[in-house]
Amino acid sequence: MIPHNRPFITTDDIAAVDAVLRSGWLAEGPAVGRLEESFKVLFGGGEACAVSSGTAALFLAIKTLDLEPGCLVAIPSYSCSALLNAVIMAGARPRIVDVRTDTFCIDPVALEAQARDAHCVIAVHVFGASADVAALKTGGRVVLEDCCQSLGGQHAGMLLGTSGAAAVFSFYASKIVTGGQGGLVWARDREFVERVRDYREFDGRATYAPRFNLQMTDIQAALAGSQLTRLEDIRARRAEIARRYLAALPDGIKAQVGLLSGHRMAHRFVAVAPDLSSRERLREHMRSAGIECTVPVEKFELLHRYWNLAPAAFPAAESVSDTTLSLPMHLCLTDDEIAFISSTLQQFRT
Ligand SMILES: *Cc1c(COP(=O)(O)O)cnc(C)c1O
């Protein structure tokens, strides 16, 4: 079976982790500092704070906004439970919004209809596609960019993550750059990130304030930092895979829009079938050839369903979860495997 995902680890990555293991310092230390510096270089300034996960980064970014208790934070339905968890943990109230059927990102029109009074919006750049941050900012809303699936991608010449109040990243095993686990908050506003850091540094402080251990280890940071040096190669290889799959799309099957536009980081290649039954047949067609494909967000995972809201108010998220299938898109794939996946895809008849 060709796996849907698999972390790509080079001998340089192993050497970077090995050096930490031999150094006598495993907890948060110099490698975490170097990872944060690398993000400042990548983003041309600002400040970065590495934490234990993408969810922790989201939680800390929302918390650091100092919203009034119970303040509304808009989140897209088509995303993971981490968003809902982070909003609730930070003491805010989630307001779930439908998405666009072409980008799968939060829909600015639905935002006006479903969360007009939200002070803050979390813009997830889904599978690398860019959410419309400018439109989401309408009316002075604060936008947090969730770049867990778009690290290094650009839109209209701007790095994703540089248009909102702050950006969050994840280094989970299936992400673009991994440390096994881990996360990071970046913002141009250095003082904002220093408040995030203050919360993370819970130990040995002169005065007490509620803080928490959300630290990343140097082992994780060394791995993520080593992978980050290959970001441009990772982007180019993913774009190459996307190009090959797009050229092989059979009649009736589409893909998420913009996979090759600009300088996108294609985190996943998501095919779109006309309906649920053809999506299931496509999945079976691939599986029987030994290719593992997954449904990126299952219907029961849609946030409006977790929150017990009527599905009828979220037609786009419902439809996207019914019709999408994610194909293997990772750096362990060989050219032969990519050719095999492409030809298998091409042979499908809707
Ligand atoms: C992975 C992911 C998260 C959560 O990151 P973890 O490191 O797994 O906690 C949040 N948002 C999005 C869009 C993600 O893809």
Side-chain angles (χ1 to χ4, degrees):
M1 204 71 169
I2 299 176
H4 176 254
N5 212 336
R6 198 189 155 112
F8 183 66
I9 305 294
T10 66
T11 51
D12 284 350
D13 294 347
I14 293 169
V17 172
D18 189 67
V20 171
L21 294 177
R22 290 171 197 279
S23 74
W25 192 275
L26 308 184
E28 180 192 279
V32 167
R34 284 194 294 274
L35 180 66
E36 293 170 346
E37 284 303 315
S38 303
F39 267 75
K40 287 161 67 173
V41 171
L42 180 66
F43 285 91
E47 192 55 61
C49 178
V51 294
S52 53
S53 69
T55 311
L58 271 171
F59 158 71
L60 284 168
I62 300 166
K63 190 168 173 50
T64 303
L65 289 174
D66 268 338
L67 304 170
E68 298 289 317
C71 184
L72 288 174
V73 175
I75 55 177
S77 172
Y78 187 81
S79 55
C80 58
S81 59
L83 274 85
L84 197 50
N85 294 335
V87 170
I88 292 166
M89 282 286 289
R93 266 191 308 153
R95 187 53 72 76
I96 298 162
V97 173
D98 206 9
V99 296
R100 291 174 57 111
T101 51
D102 52 356
T103 60
F104 316 156
C105 295
I106 192 165
D107 181 355
V109 177
L111 179 72
E112 290 305 325
Q114 296 179 305
R116 177 170 264 281
D117 41 354
H119 289 287
C120 173
V121 190
I122 300 177
V124 181
H125 300 302
V126 182
F127 314 141
S130 52
D132 189 346
V133 176
L136 300 173
K137 279 181 175 170
T138 307
R141 281 194 202 91
V142 176
V143 175
L144 292 177
E145 290 184 77
D146 181 334
C147 300
C148 293
Q149 303 177 351
S150 64
L151 169 60
Q154 293 180 15
H155 177 69
M158 297 268 286
L159 257 180
L160 296 183
T162 55
S163 305
V168 301
F169 301 86
S170 166
F171 306 113
Y172 181 64
S174 63
K175 303 299 160 99
I176 294 151
V177 158
T178 185
Q181 292 266 17
L184 184 138
V185 179
W186 177 88
R188 210 183 303 282
D189 178 354
R190 307 182 72 143
E191 194 264 333
F192 181 91
V193 180
E194 289 315 329
R195 283 191 283 142
V196 170
R197 202 185 314 284
D198 179 80
Y199 198 89
R200 182 192 73 176
E201 302 309 316
F202 62 94
D203 200 20
R205 302 295 298 265
T207 55
Y208 180 77
R211 298 182 177 98
F212 215 76
N213 183 356
L214 297 173
Q215 296 183 351
M216 190 180 190
T217 68
D218 261 23
I219 304 169
Q220 296 166 316
L223 178 54
S226 173
Q227 297 216 332
L228 191 65
T229 63
R230 299 194 303 273
L231 192 59
E232 200 40 43
D233 294 344
I234 293 171
R235 202 197 60 74
R237 181 63 172 168
R238 286 174 175 276
E240 172 61 19
I241 298 171
R243 195 170 300 119
R244 301 281 293 278
Y245 293 173
L246 279 174
L249 280 180
D251 283 348
I253 303 293
K254 294 186 293 188
Q256 187 190 19
V257 298
L259 273 160
L260 299 177
S261 68
H263 213 66
R264 171 153 165 183
M265 176 60 81
H267 173 241
R268 283 191 170 178
F269 185 93
V270 175
V272 186
D275 51 39
L276 177 61
S277 78
S278 48
R279 193 274 308 276
E280 288 306 305
R281 278 188 289 107
L282 176 60
R283 174 154 53 168
E284 181 50 30
H285 170 80
M286 302 301 280
R287 199 202 58 77
S288 62
I291 301 162
E292 183 194 21
C293 298
T294 67
V295 175
V297 180
E298 295 276 6
K299 217 159 186 173
F300 65 87
E301 297 177 285
L302 293 170
L303 298 188
H304 64 265
R305 289 193 172 238
Y306 279 150
W307 212 235
N308 291 318
L309 301 175
F314 302 88
E318 292 273 320
S319 149
V320 172
S321 92
D322 271 349
T323 55
T324 44
L325 190 70
S326 177
L327 272 58
M329 164 83 124
H330 51 85
L331 273 78
C332 293
L333 293 173
T334 64
D335 288 343
D336 283 350
E337 285 173 329
I338 295 164
F340 176 66
I341 295 167
S342 303
S343 67
T344 306
L345 177 64
Q346 199 156 27
Q347 284 154 19
F348 179 69
R349 294 288 165 264
T350 41

